[in-house]
Amino acid sequence: MSAQRTRGLIGATFVVAVLGVAAACGTEDGSSPPAAQPTQTVTMPSPTPSASPSGTPSTDCPETITAVRAATDKAVWGQGAATSKFNPVSVTICQYDAQATGQDYATITTKRMGKQATDLFALVNAAKPVAKKPSMCTKELGPTYVLRFTDNDRGVLSFTAESFGCHRLVATSLEGQGKPGTLPAPRQVTAELTKSLGLR
C-alpha cells in the first residue's frame, strides 16, 4: 500500500471516529437539551414580607378574628341563661394568635371528644355570669379562643374566650334545629379555663 493511500485511510478513519463520538453524545430524536452554556447570574432583591392573613379558613374554624371580635362585642351583659343545658359530645378549639388582626384566621385547631369535651364545657358553665361589661381590663396580650361545642344532633354552641384584657367569655351563637334560642349570659374566663385551654 502506498503511503498516500495509508494517510487517506487514517484521515478517513479519524473523521469517522470524530463523527461517531459526536453522535454518541446526542440522541437520535434531537430532543436532548443543548450543552450547558455559561449563564449570567442575576440577583433579585428579596421580597419584603407581605401582610397576608395568618392561619387558613376551615370548616372547623371558618371565621376571621374580625368576625370573632364583632360577634363578641355584640354580647349584652347581664342577659342570658346562668348555665347552659347544652350536652356536648365534642369540642373544636380554634386558637387565634395574640397579634391577630383583620383577616387572620385561627392558627391552631384542636379537638376534644367525650369526657374531655364535657369537662371543658363544665369549666365554661362554672364561670359566673357578669351583670356589667368589665371595665377593669389588663393590657397583656394573649390568644383568643373560639370553642365550638357540638352535640349528638349536630347542634353547635360557640363561645369566645379571651385569655387577655377583659377576659371575656361570651356565647356568640347556637346553631341547629330545635335548639333553645337563649344563649348563656356573658361571663369572664377563669384561671382554670385558661389552664385547660393551654393544654393540647
Side-chain angles (χ1 to χ4, degrees):
M1 219 189 247
S2 72
Q4 192 175 24
R5 193 170 182 191
T6 304
R7 277 190 225 131
L9 264 176
I10 293 173
T13 304
F14 179 72
V15 169
V16 170
V18 169
L19 289 174
V21 170
C25 289
T27 60
E28 290 182 25
D29 63 4
S31 64
S32 64
Q37 301 292 322
T39 59
Q40 190 175 21
T41 305
V42 177
T43 305
M44 300 296 287
S46 60
T48 56
S50 63
S52 63
S54 67
T56 55
S58 69
T59 54
D60 290 329
C61 301
E63 298 177 321
T64 64
I65 190 65
T66 298
V68 169
R69 289 181 179 146
T72 306
D73 290 342
K74 288 180 186 174
V76 180
W77 292 80
Q79 291 185 5
T83 58
S84 175
K85 306 281 188 234
F86 197 78
N87 294 311
V89 294
S90 67
V91 61
T92 299
I93 304 167
C94 308
Q95 181 178 335
Y96 295 80
D97 288 338
Q99 292 84 14
T101 59
Q103 299 303 305
D104 290 347
Y105 289 94
T107 54
I108 299 173
T109 303
T110 55
K111 291 188 181 225
R112 297 183 190 176
M113 309 297 284
K115 184 173 179 345
Q116 289 182 325
T118 55
D119 288 350
L120 185 62
F121 192 71
L123 289 174
V124 170
N125 252 344
K128 300 293 180 224
V130 177
K132 293 183 180 178
K133 185 176 182 178
S135 58
M136 298 293 289
C137 304
T138 60
K139 291 192 181 281
E140 89 270 32
L141 291 175
T144 298
Y145 299 93
V146 173
L147 315 176
R148 293 174 51 89
F149 292 97
T150 306
D151 67 8
N152 278 326
D153 300 324
R154 295 188 195 165
V156 179
L157 174 58
S158 298
F159 284 87
T160 299
E162 297 174 337
S163 63
F164 64 93
C166 297
H167 295 270
R168 297 181 297 175
L169 176 58
V170 176
T172 55
S173 68
L174 180 57
E175 305 161 27
Q177 286 190 319
K179 300 299 169 192
T182 304
L183 291 172
R187 49 203 76 211
Q188 288 184 288
V189 174
T190 62
E192 293 82 11
L193 180 57
T194 300
K195 183 178 177 182
S196 179
L197 290 172
L199 303 174
R200 296 278 173 263

